[in-house]
Amino acid sequence: MKQRKRNKNHTSYLADAMFYWISILVSVDAAMAVLLQALEIISNQWTAIVGLVVCAAVSWTVYVLHKRYVLPEAYSLHASAFLCTSLLLFFCLYNPQHFTGLWTVFILFPIYLSFFYDRSLILVWSTISYLLYALSLGVGQNEAFSMDIFFHLTLAAASAICTWIGFTTLQKRMGEAKSATEEHNREYAITLLNTLVPIVERKTQTSSREIEQMSRLIKRMLREFPNERVNDWEINLLSLLHYVSRIKFPDYVFETNEKLTTFEFQIIQEHSQFGYEMFRDEPSFARVVRALQDHHERLDGTGYPKKLKGDDIVLLAQILGIVESFLAMTTTRNYRQTSTIEEAFEEICTMAGTKYDDKVVKAFVKSVQIHSPTKVSNVPPMVG
């Protein structure tokens, strides 16, 4: 349990602790009953004491099985809740000491479930718990216990209120903690990448002004897609990440005046994986990482690295691909001819419906807002 806690696996730690402490409590109860019976302080039937020992053995067996098989192999909150409900039901039905109020554990169980921070888990297993408690009222041997319906409804209502308060409080706290963590990770990522910008500038002999140019043009194009909600920080991070990804390029690529070989071009293609290599374990960066990975994919499947086609290419990746091509064609490079803004604009427009989605090209046209010449440049959209 300590190892799991150190790994900050909140839900698996709670599930593990649930069975662990049930086993401890039942074992302590059995041990106390045996001790008091041996000291003749109380006089119980040995069948009841043996029953407690059996309950302790069953609870430890379930704990070991849950820890060994359920958690590492097929861990599911619902699987843990099912096992715990079954274990509690066994205790209530067996009940060697005939506790009349033992079924109230099903009133307390939903409160504990609220700390798992899972809405479906609470709805499903709280409902089952309340149903089991309601059924126990009809089969209870104590008539007074089953007749005070108002008392039991009050208990159930109080349990439901406590469960709701626990869940909403945890939801708020977890949301705040998640936001704070994501903000910290964003600041760390941007700081880390910014430290690499001067290195990339010297290595590639390009200006970091491209980062701002790319961000500005991506934001303009995204205005044409109001349903595509992309945060400004994602755009800024994507532009920065794209520029810094050039650190993977071999140094000599930026010093040669010759056309890139097939092998050199394959090496350059690896820069699209830079975001995945850096931030694959950060869920809040998933859209940025995916856009960088797929920004060289083309509508007709001629792109790389996955040869994606059509709608399989996310919008942000298509936008980044167009912006990168436009900036690459209009920026001086040793290994190819530089195009004018008008020539680059016309080149991209001719690729509408083949390399790029028509609607994305239209967004590009509205964002750039220039009139293209009739002459088309033969300069290919090389990587930046």
Side-chain angles (χ1 to χ4, degrees):
M1 290 201 330
K2 291 182 179 179
Q3 179 64 36
R4 195 168 293 115
K5 187 175 182 179
R6 284 199 297 268
N7 293 338
K8 298 182 179 180
N9 192 334
H10 166 257
T11 56
S12 62
Y13 174 73
L14 277 181
D16 196 13
M18 178 170 60
F19 292 99
Y20 177 78
W21 288 109
I22 287 175
S23 302
I24 289 291
L25 291 174
V26 176
S27 299
V28 169
D29 188 23
M32 289 295 295
V34 171
L35 179 62
L36 294 175
Q37 181 75 9
L39 296 176
E40 298 182 351
I41 297 176
I42 61 173
S43 178
N44 287 328
Q45 293 184 358
W46 280 103
T47 54
I49 296 177
V50 171
L52 284 175
V53 174
V54 170
C55 288
V58 169
S59 61
W60 282 111
T61 301
V62 173
Y63 166 70
V64 171
L65 292 175
H66 178 264
K67 187 183 180 82
R68 183 170 181 178
Y69 296 106
V70 177
L71 287 179
E73 299 296 334
Y75 178 60
S76 167
L77 292 178
H78 290 278
S80 298
F82 170 76
L83 283 177
C84 190
T85 301
S86 301
L87 183 61
L88 295 177
L89 185 60
F90 168 76
F91 291 156
C92 292
L93 292 175
Y94 188 28
N95 196 3
Q97 291 190 320
H98 305 290
F99 292 134
T100 57
L102 190 58
W103 287 88
T104 55
V105 295
F106 288 109
I107 292 293
L108 301 175
F109 188 50
I111 300 177
Y112 187 81
L113 291 178
S114 67
F115 294 99
F116 283 86
Y117 186 53
D118 188 297
R119 189 186 303 273
S120 65
L121 182 80
I122 294 173
L123 290 176
V124 171
W125 293 101
S126 293
T127 301
I128 293 174
S129 294
Y130 293 140
L131 286 175
L132 289 173
Y133 181 71
L135 290 174
S136 73
L137 302 181
V139 298
Q141 296 179 359
N142 190 323
E143 184 177 355
F145 181 71
S146 61
M147 289 182 62
D148 192 357
I149 301 299
F150 178 77
F151 170 75
H152 300 301
L153 288 177
T154 302
L155 281 181
S159 171
I161 292 173
C162 291
T163 302
W164 177 79
I165 292 175
F167 174 76
T168 53
T169 301
L170 186 61
Q171 185 179 43
K172 181 180 179 181
R173 297 297 184 188
M174 293 288 284
E176 292 174 351
K178 182 180 179 181
S179 298
T181 300
E182 290 179 351
E183 183 177 357
H184 175 268
N185 291 341
R186 290 198 297 268
E187 292 176 356
Y188 174 79
I190 291 174
T191 301
L192 174 63
L193 294 174
N194 275 321
T195 61
L196 299 176
V197 168
I199 300 175
V200 176
E201 280 190 299
R202 290 192 297 270
K203 177 187 178 75
T204 64
Q205 303 175 30
T206 59
S207 172
S208 61
R209 288 180 297 178
E210 290 183 23
I211 300 172
E212 177 59 29
Q213 293 171 344
M214 177 170 284
S215 294
R216 187 166 57 249
L217 190 49
I218 290 175
K219 290 175 183 177
R220 287 180 183 175
M221 292 180 65
L222 280 170
R223 292 174 189 168
E224 305 301 320
F225 303 94
N227 294 329
E228 189 74 14
R229 298 181 180 179
V230 182
N231 298 309
D232 283 349
W233 71 263
E234 290 179 291
I235 300 172
N236 296 334
L237 178 61
L238 178 60
S239 302
L240 179 59
L241 190 60
H242 176 270
Y243 183 80
V244 174
S245 68
R246 299 173 186 174
I247 202 170
K248 294 176 68 70
F249 294 177
D251 291 347
Y252 65 84
V253 167
F254 303 97
E255 299 173 357
T256 181
N257 295 323
E258 300 179 359
K259 185 178 179 181
L260 298 179
T261 65
T262 302
F263 175 72
E264 291 168 341
F265 191 66
Q266 288 176 346
I267 294 177
I268 286 180
Q269 289 179 3
E270 295 179 1
H271 88 110
S272 62
Q273 300 298 323
F274 184 74
Y276 178 78
E277 295 167 357
M278 291 282 291
F279 305 119
R280 60 186 170 189
D281 295 326
E282 180 51 53
S284 62
F285 294 172
R287 182 155 51 176
V288 173
V289 171
R290 174 74 182 278
L292 186 64
Q293 276 187 307
D294 297 348
H295 76 286
H296 282 296
E297 302 289 353
R298 296 298 177 253
L299 199 68
D300 56 2
T302 59
Y304 64 84
K306 305 173 187 175
K307 304 296 182 183
L308 300 179
K309 294 182 179 181
D311 293 337
D312 291 335
I313 310 172
V314 295
L315 177 64
L316 190 58
Q318 294 189 58
I319 291 176
L320 177 61
I322 287 181
V323 173
E324 182 203 42
S325 296
F326 179 71
L327 293 178
M329 286 189 287
T330 55
T331 304
T332 302
R333 297 286 189 272
N334 292 332
Y335 51 83
R336 58 169 169 74
Q337 179 184 355
T338 304
S339 302
T340 65
I341 292 178
E342 290 77 11
E343 289 173 334
F345 179 86
E346 182 66 21
E347 182 75 13
I348 290 174
C349 289
T350 60
M351 297 181 187
T354 55
K355 304 294 185 182
Y356 304 115
D357 194 306
D358 285 328
K359 63 179 183 293
V360 182
V361 174
K362 289 179 182 178
F364 170 75
V365 171
K366 290 183 180 180
S367 301
V368 176
Q369 294 181 345
I370 63 173
H371 297 287
S372 62
T374 55
K375 181 181 178 180
V376 178
S377 170
N378 58 1
V379 180
M382 300 290 290
V383 294

